[in-house]
Amino acid sequence: MSRASDLLLTAIAPAVWGSTYIVTTELLPAGYPLTVAMLRALPAGLLLLALVRQLPRGIWWPRTFLLGALNFSFFWAMLFVSAYRLPGGVAATVGAIQPLIVLGLSRAVMGTVVRPLSVLAGLAGIGGVALLVLTPAAALEPVGIAAGLAGAVSMAFGTVLSRHWQPPVPPLTFTAWQLTAGGLLLVPVALAFEPALPMPTTENLIGFLYLGVIGGALTYIVWFRGLARLDPATVSPLGFLSPLVAVVLGWALLGQDLSLLQIGGMVVVLGSVWLSQRAQATVAQPAAGGKAISSAAR
């Protein structure tokens, strides 16, 4: 499969994640962020684990739980804390710093070349997300800002380490391990900090099923497959598509307003994604010896 095909397939994951907000607000009970995160990860992880019938071995036990915490447990917990304490636009803009963090970590951990064009694309992406989702009435709250930054750092570390370590198993198995580990780590946290979940309605069950199977298992299989084939600095900017899809779904399904400023933000976001891919395509060109720079840094 060509690099362009890998990019398009990987982009499906953050695009689908853009539907998480509308599914959560319209189909799930409010006030249970940790429980929702646990139920999104653990059942899907156990289902995939039953399909692959393969457990981690040796060094992959601690690595799996570390990656599960970075990509799911801690990241989702901080994401929900940020979302509850900040207006959605502020939370999304704070989280949009992740691609820039990934650039720095990729350089430090994998020796990946950082192009100025990639940095420019990351800054443009943050600006585009701000135009897309920020409102004049947006307020800043220190704990929410700190949680949003912590979540972005967590996901950035998870993205880079998932690519750097590259387990000797298919993406399906790798996803099963991480979802299960992340869900297990969330169980005691959800039990300790949240009341018992009320009897779920049919709408609740549909929401949990969607977030677990489609928004969790299937999309992360695609995401980790992309990370196995492309470097983190290429994959991470695709995350800008998530707030873009969220705004479009809010306009299409909930009748929310879509201003000219937001449309301009969409154009900037798409431009930043294109610019980042153009910059990383230069880095990924095969060297004279037939190996890509990013592959040599494994």
Side-chain angles (χ1 to χ4, degrees):
M1 185 176 285
S2 68
R3 184 175 185 276
S5 298
D6 285 332
L7 278 171
L8 289 174
L9 182 59
T10 306
I12 292 174
V16 171
W17 294 337
S19 66
T20 299
Y21 176 78
I22 193 169
V23 170
T24 301
T25 56
E26 298 301 310
L27 298 179
L28 298 184
Y32 299 88
L34 298 176
T35 302
V36 168
M38 183 268 291
L39 291 176
R40 183 182 181 185
L42 187 55
L46 291 174
L47 176 62
L48 293 182
L49 205 57
L51 291 175
V52 301
R53 298 183 180 183
Q54 184 177 355
L55 293 174
R57 294 182 180 180
I59 189 63
W60 282 103
W61 277 107
R63 284 183 177 181
T64 293
F65 273 89
L66 176 59
L67 290 173
L70 291 172
N71 285 321
F72 299 108
S73 308
F74 187 77
F75 170 61
W76 281 349
M78 292 297 100
L79 181 69
F80 280 118
V81 170
S82 175
Y84 270 83
R85 288 179 171 269
L86 296 172
V90 178
T93 305
V94 172
I97 197 174
Q98 180 194 321
L100 291 178
I101 300 173
V102 166
L103 285 176
L105 290 177
S106 296
R107 174 63 180 172
V109 175
M110 302 169 58
T112 304
V113 176
V114 177
R115 299 281 180 176
L117 199 59
S118 296
V119 177
L120 178 62
L123 293 172
I126 295 173
V129 170
L131 289 174
L132 194 62
V133 297
L134 278 183
T135 65
L140 303 181
E141 199 268 347
V143 175
I145 294 291
L149 291 174
V153 171
S154 179
M155 186 62 174
F157 267 101
T159 297
V160 172
L161 290 179
S162 294
R163 176 66 174 87
H164 180 58
W165 283 336
Q166 279 299 285
V169 295
L172 176 63
T173 304
F174 196 32
T175 305
W177 291 355
Q178 290 195 55
L179 276 171
T180 303
L184 288 173
L185 290 172
L186 280 166
V187 170
V189 181
L191 291 175
F193 291 99
E194 290 182 353
L197 194 70
M199 182 64 68
T201 65
T202 301
E203 287 186 345
N204 295 159
L205 293 175
I206 292 173
F208 282 125
L209 186 64
Y210 175 85
L211 287 182
V213 176
I214 299 176
L218 295 181
T219 51
Y220 274 97
I221 291 171
V222 171
W223 183 253
F224 290 131
R225 176 194 175 278
L227 280 173
R229 293 169 175 260
L230 306 164
D231 60 88
T234 298
V235 173
S236 185
L238 298 176
F240 288 135
L241 298 175
S242 186
L244 187 152
V245 170
V247 170
V248 171
L249 288 177
W251 167 74
L253 300 180
L254 301 180
Q256 296 174 350
D257 293 335
L258 190 61
S259 66
L260 288 176
L261 198 62
Q262 287 177 303
I263 294 174
M266 291 181 183
V267 173
V268 174
V269 165
L270 291 174
S272 74
V273 173
W274 175 83
L275 191 62
S276 66
Q277 302 313 315
R278 183 178 176 84
Q280 291 307 122
T282 304
V283 177
Q285 289 298 320
K291 293 184 179 180
I293 294 174
S294 58
S295 299
R298 286 188 184 182

